[in-house]
Amino acid sequence: MSDCVFCKIAAGEIPGKKLYEDDDILAFHDINPVAPVHVLLIPKKHIASGAADLTEEHSAVIGHIFAVAANIARELDIADGFQIITNNGEKVGQTVAHLHFHLLGGGDFRLKLG
Ligand code: 5GP
Ligand code: ZN
């Protein structure tokens, strides 16, 4: 999508601090980190607007994203404690309407869910 910030990062039209890239997905550092490690993982294909739009057709790319997230967690030394979250909907704070997963961890960071 032409006005989507994550599509632009995927296309190299705007810079992103990339950690991993292949034909299907991209991982890069969040511009406004809320944790010592805050990485975003996205499918390069614009899946709008979020998890509510997923179908079985997306199984392979989502599985791939989680496998790459595990590798990045090991590489960044947070494999013993990390969280992966996705926001779906403005109501819960989603600001970019291109499916993405936040990989969060490091130090004492913990997003408290319960
Ligand atoms: P959301 O709130 O939609 O789940 O998360 C969007 C995330 O994208 C936010 O954490 C925000 O900091 C990040 N973000 C927004 N614009 C950019 C950008 O241009 N570059 C990078 N690296 N991250 C961005
Ligand atoms: Zn997009």
Side-chain angles (χ1 to χ4, degrees):
M1 246 180 86
S2 56
D3 62 346
C4 170
V5 65
F6 288 173
C7 282
K8 286 181 180 165
I9 291 173
E13 289 168 14
I14 62 172
K17 286 166 69 181
K18 295 179 183 177
L19 282 159
Y20 176 87
E21 180 171 19
D22 61 28
D23 287 347
D24 300 315
I25 74 168
L26 177 66
F28 53 100
H29 291 282
D30 196 290
I31 203 169
N32 185 23
V34 300
V37 172
H38 187 169
V39 172
L40 298 172
L41 296 112
I42 66 168
K44 284 189 169 175
K45 187 165 177 259
H46 183 86
I47 297 177
S49 52
D53 302 289
L54 290 173
T55 68
E56 295 294 342
E57 281 176 32
H58 302 111
S59 300
V61 74
I62 299 303
H64 184 40
I65 281 175
F66 272 72
V68 168
N71 282 337
I72 290 172
R74 280 188 283 274
E75 282 166 19
L76 299 184
D77 211 20
I78 60 162
D80 63 342
F82 65 86
Q83 292 165 298
I84 296 175
I85 74 147
T86 188
N87 289 322
N88 186 89
E90 288 178 14
K91 203 174 161 181
V92 297
Q94 185 180 9
T95 57
V96 179
H98 176 138
L99 178 74
H100 55 281
F101 295 88
H102 299 255
L103 170 63
L104 301 163
D108 293 330
F109 179 82
R110 175 184 169 222
L111 190 64
K112 199 166 180 299
L113 296 172

